[in-house]
Amino acid sequence: MSSITQAGLKTENASGSRILLLDPAPPSGNGAAGASTDTHRFDAQPLIASLERRDALSDEERQALRDLPWRLKRYGDSEEIVAEASRPTESCLLVDGIAARSRHLANGNRQLTALHVSGDFVDMHGFFLKVMDHAVVALTPVTVAFVPHRDVQRLATEMPHLGRMLFMMVAIDAAIQRNWIACMGRMEPIRHLAYMVCEVYKRLEIVGRVENGSFDFPLTQAEIADLVGLSIVHTNRTLQDLRATGFTTWKGNRIVIHDWDGLAKLADFDPTYLNLFHHPR
Amino acid sequence: MSSITQAGLKTENASGSRILLLDPAPPSGNGAAGASTDTHRFDAQPLIASLERRDALSDEERQALRDLPWRLKRYGDSEEIVAEASRPTESCLLVDGIAARSRHLANGNRQLTALHVSGDFVDMHGFFLKVMDHAVVALTPVTVAFVPHRDVQRLATEMPHLGRMLFMMVAIDAAIQRNWIACMGRMEPIRHLAYMVCEVYKRLEIVGRVENGSFDFPLTQAEIADLVGLSIVHTNRTLQDLRATGFTTWKGNRIVIHDWDGLAKLADFDPTYLNLFHHPR
DNA sequence: CGCTGGGTTGATCGGTGTCAATTCGTGTGG
DNA sequence: CCACACGAATTGACACCGATCAACCCAGCG
């Protein structure tokens, strides 16, 4: 596996896709920093890896993905990538970092309704929905690639199988969200957190962001709380309970999994919903 | 609007689609009753109404939908329409009644993760996902129409716009689920219930199942509890609180909305996510 | 007329949110 | 090098929301 830093620096590539060298991401913790636009050719590998985990792509399909008119952009920690109520004319793909869909409630609270990692075609939803009913925000410094809706539409029309593969990602997102609903409604907080660790682990593994059972996950506890729908204080205490199981070490920006089976059992985690199997689609 | 009974009896049709006369649905409350297969030509109107609320369909597209090789089937209350872990080769469209996606947890609890009404292409998800990670169950007697995946695929390939419209329903389902996550995570139960009433009202209105601000919603409180992730007792008490607002009467099988604005304000309900506007897609 | 399933109520207890204070870690400026 | 500021993590105290258990009511039905 190629060496990858958190900022998306990619120094080698075994699969023949273009090589991208980016400057380091802008400093984190500065929501006011303007996002930078970057004209480098982007790295389609996370997306391709994610798709090929579900069905084979032909050389033409892989090339067609790379040949889309991507527009690269960077965002700092906590910056907004897509605004609520906006009408995007481009879809965005998360190349590197972690982002989330965020919904603001009238009482001032927010709930994060989806988590996205490298290779996620975050705004395929916007391709269908036209008006954003939520925002997409960066939870770490991220690199995002935008592509006009019309090009996605053309691609899907000219290459129906590839189109289905892209739309499949929407269906997988929906499956993930259904499992979140189940977690929120019927699981004790410790199981819910364990579930989140399991899911993120599996999703990062697909795109090569896991080494030796550990991965970066630099979210604050306030962000975790908004993900699982708990208060910050209770999130903190539940995290301590989770650490006490010994199944995982979750300290600072890094999560280490010591006992996958124990963690998966605690979380009642069944990866079927992630569709991690090859199948004609 | 044509007159429509809960069982799907349709006696007239302003839009020129075929007319269907079905026998009454099987008696409810009998989960053991076998589902019946029905060879009548089915009524595509709810689906077409649902799609045309989002973008215009051509005559050819409407006809192509009707000409799909639908296979009609009825299910009694609480029957399973699609089993967990099954590998369906057909997608199913809910023609009449109410159904839900159901996820079973290890502790014996269940959580309903989505609600479906007439016109919902319930198992477009299965078209992409191949293995069911959840079950689809009837919450009332329902009429379901099945169509082979290969025909959906052929249709989407030959008529790309129509294909996008069908896939859009998956994206809308996902948007609905994101709002459920926000409801579960950050809303008081009474607001959550109010939200559910608002959403069901809007969705039933699209397919002509609302008259004078009221509609049938024959779910037990146990089912409501599994929808919102509360205990039965607490669901009961919260329902009483909701009735006490006077915004809505929810008694037995029928919900009447007396004060939409009050209810929507209580629920912080913004229908943007339902995409109830015409737009080229 | 009793059975049954759904709805309702009361009592109790643990889980969870809230408020407030303290500690920790890191970057900044003197 | 130290003092300080700031955000994040942590801890304690306390109130209350919501789950659980156990009755009881009620309507439909055999």
Side-chain angles (χ1 to χ4, degrees):
Chain A
M1 187 53 62
S2 57
S3 104
I4 299 167
T5 74
Q6 194 203 320
L9 188 66
K10 205 161 191 324
T11 53
E12 59 167 325
N13 191 310
S15 322
S17 83
R18 286 157 211 262
I19 287 171
L20 170 74
L21 287 173
L22 292 180
D23 304 326
S28 67
N30 186 355
S36 61
T37 298
D38 192 313
T39 54
H40 287 286
R41 198 61 188 253
F42 99 114
D43 178 19
Q45 206 48 41
L47 171 62
I48 291 175
S50 188
L51 295 176
E52 292 203 308
R53 188 66 194 267
R54 278 86 180 201
D55 190 11
L57 296 183
S58 68
D59 290 343
E60 292 74 30
E61 288 175 326
R62 279 193 296 272
Q63 197 55 45
L65 281 175
R66 293 192 201 99
D67 287 346
L68 283 172
W70 299 102
R71 180 174 66 86
L72 276 186
K73 206 164 169 184
R74 291 244 197 53
Y75 294 86
D77 195 3
S78 301
E79 280 193 272
E80 195 171 60
I81 300 170
V82 186
E84 188 169 338
S86 65
R87 296 165 173 263
T89 59
E90 297 178 304
S91 284
C92 65
L93 166 69
L94 188 55
V95 178
D96 206 273
I98 296 176
R101 298 177 190 278
S102 167
R103 178 116 149 54
H104 255 90
L105 301 228
N107 56 19
N109 284 17
R110 79 164 180 175
Q111 172 73 43
L112 301 180
T113 60
L115 200 60
H116 287 291
V117 302
S118 312
D120 283 357
F121 220 133
V122 177
D123 223 12
M124 189 54 65
H125 294 263
F127 172 69
F128 290 107
L129 302 186
K130 305 307 178 191
V131 180
M132 296 295 292
D133 62 304
H134 61 277
V136 178
V137 297
L139 296 186
T140 69
V142 300
T143 306
V144 175
F146 291 92
V147 62
H149 286 165
R150 62 176 170 279
D151 292 290
V152 176
Q153 180 170 322
R154 181 184 44 74
L155 190 70
T157 302
E158 293 172 0
M159 308 181 84
H161 174 257
L162 184 54
R164 287 197 300 277
M165 292 296 286
L166 294 179
F167 299 156
M168 172 194 70
M169 301 306 275
V170 177
I172 291 178
D173 282 350
I176 291 171
Q177 287 165 12
R178 283 194 293 274
N179 276 283
W180 281 33
I181 290 173
C183 287
M184 302 191 77
R186 296 294 188 209
M187 268 185 177
E188 297 101 43
I190 188 173
R191 294 179 195 277
H192 189 175
L193 282 176
Y195 197 97
M196 210 178 73
V197 173
C198 289
E199 179 181 308
V200 172
Y201 177 90
K202 282 289 183 189
R203 291 171 67 185
L204 287 177
E205 193 180 36
I206 297 168
V207 288
R209 257 64 172 177
V210 167
E211 312 111 0
N212 299 326
S214 79
F215 54 94
D216 279 329
F217 198 63
L219 305 203
T220 67
Q221 291 187 2
E223 289 165 332
I224 312 271
D226 283 341
L227 278 170
V228 296
L230 296 175
S231 69
I232 297 179
V233 171
H234 200 64
T235 300
N236 177 283
R237 292 186 165 124
T238 308
L239 276 174
Q240 294 178 45
D241 293 342
L242 182 60
R243 287 187 199 116
T245 65
F247 297 152
T248 178
T249 306
W250 183 342
K251 196 74 182 166
N253 294 345
R254 193 133 186 113
I255 296 180
V256 186
I257 308 225
H258 303 296
D259 177 356
W260 171 263
D261 291 342
L263 195 64
K265 182 117 186 277
L266 174 63
D268 186 21
F269 183 80
D270 173 355
T272 301
Y273 72 109
L274 290 174
N275 271 259
L276 300 176
F277 47 84
H278 253 259
H279 196 288
R281 316 219 184 205
Chain B
M1 186 53 65
S2 56
S3 101
I4 299 169
T5 74
Q6 193 205 322
L9 188 66
K10 205 163 193 316
T11 52
E12 59 168 327
N13 191 311
S15 322
S17 83
R18 288 159 210 260
I19 288 172
L20 171 75
L21 288 172
L22 291 180
D23 303 325
S28 68
N30 185 355
S36 59
T37 299
D38 192 314
T39 55
H40 288 286
R41 198 61 187 254
F42 100 113
D43 177 19
Q45 206 49 40
L47 171 62
I48 290 175
S50 187
L51 295 176
E52 292 203 308
R53 188 66 195 267
R54 278 86 180 201
D55 189 11
L57 296 183
S58 67
D59 290 342
E60 292 73 31
E61 288 175 326
R62 279 193 296 273
Q63 196 56 46
L65 282 175
R66 293 192 202 100
D67 287 345
L68 283 172
W70 298 104
R71 180 174 65 86
L72 276 186
K73 206 163 168 184
R74 292 244 197 52
Y75 294 85
D77 195 4
S78 298
E79 280 192 89
E80 195 171 61
I81 300 170
V82 186
E84 189 168 337
S86 64
R87 297 166 172 262
T89 59
E90 297 177 305
S91 284
C92 66
L93 165 70
L94 187 53
V95 178
D96 206 274
I98 296 176
R101 297 178 192 278
S102 168
R103 178 117 150 54
H104 255 90
L105 301 229
N107 56 21
N109 284 18
R110 78 164 181 176
Q111 173 72 42
L112 301 180
T113 60
L115 200 59
H116 288 291
V117 303
S118 312
D120 283 357
F121 220 132
V122 177
D123 223 10
M124 190 54 67
H125 294 263
F127 173 69
F128 290 107
L129 302 186
K130 306 306 178 191
V131 180
M132 296 296 292
D133 62 305
H134 61 276
V136 178
V137 298
L139 296 186
T140 69
V142 300
T143 306
V144 174
F146 291 91
V147 61
H149 286 165
R150 62 174 170 279
D151 292 290
V152 175
Q153 179 170 322
R154 180 184 44 74
L155 189 70
T157 302
E158 293 173 0
M159 308 182 84
H161 173 257
L162 185 55
R164 286 197 302 277
M165 292 296 286
L166 294 179
F167 299 156
M168 173 194 69
M169 301 305 276
V170 176
I172 291 179
D173 282 350
I176 291 170
Q177 287 165 14
R178 282 193 295 272
N179 277 282
W180 281 32
I181 290 172
C183 287
M184 302 191 77
R186 294 297 186 207
M187 270 187 175
E188 297 103 41
I190 188 174
R191 295 180 195 276
H192 189 174
L193 281 177
Y195 197 97
M196 209 178 73
V197 172
C198 289
E199 178 181 307
V200 172
Y201 178 90
K202 283 288 183 192
R203 291 171 67 185
L204 287 177
E205 193 180 34
I206 298 168
V207 288
R209 258 63 172 177
V210 167
E211 312 110 0
N212 300 324
S214 80
F215 54 93
D216 280 328
F217 198 64
L219 306 203
T220 67
Q221 292 188 359
E223 288 166 332
I224 312 272
D226 284 341
L227 278 170
V228 295
L230 296 175
S231 67
I232 297 180
V233 171
H234 201 63
T235 300
N236 176 285
R237 291 184 166 125
T238 308
L239 276 174
Q240 294 177 43
D241 294 342
L242 183 60
R243 288 187 198 116
T245 65
F247 297 152
T248 178
T249 306
W250 183 341
K251 195 75 181 167
N253 293 347
R254 194 134 186 113
I255 296 181
V256 186
I257 308 226
H258 303 297
D259 178 356
W260 171 262
D261 291 342
L263 195 64
K265 182 116 185 280
L266 174 63
D268 186 21
F269 184 78
D270 173 354
T272 301
Y273 72 109
L274 290 175
N275 272 256
L276 300 176
F277 46 86
H278 253 257
H279 196 289
R281 316 225 183 201

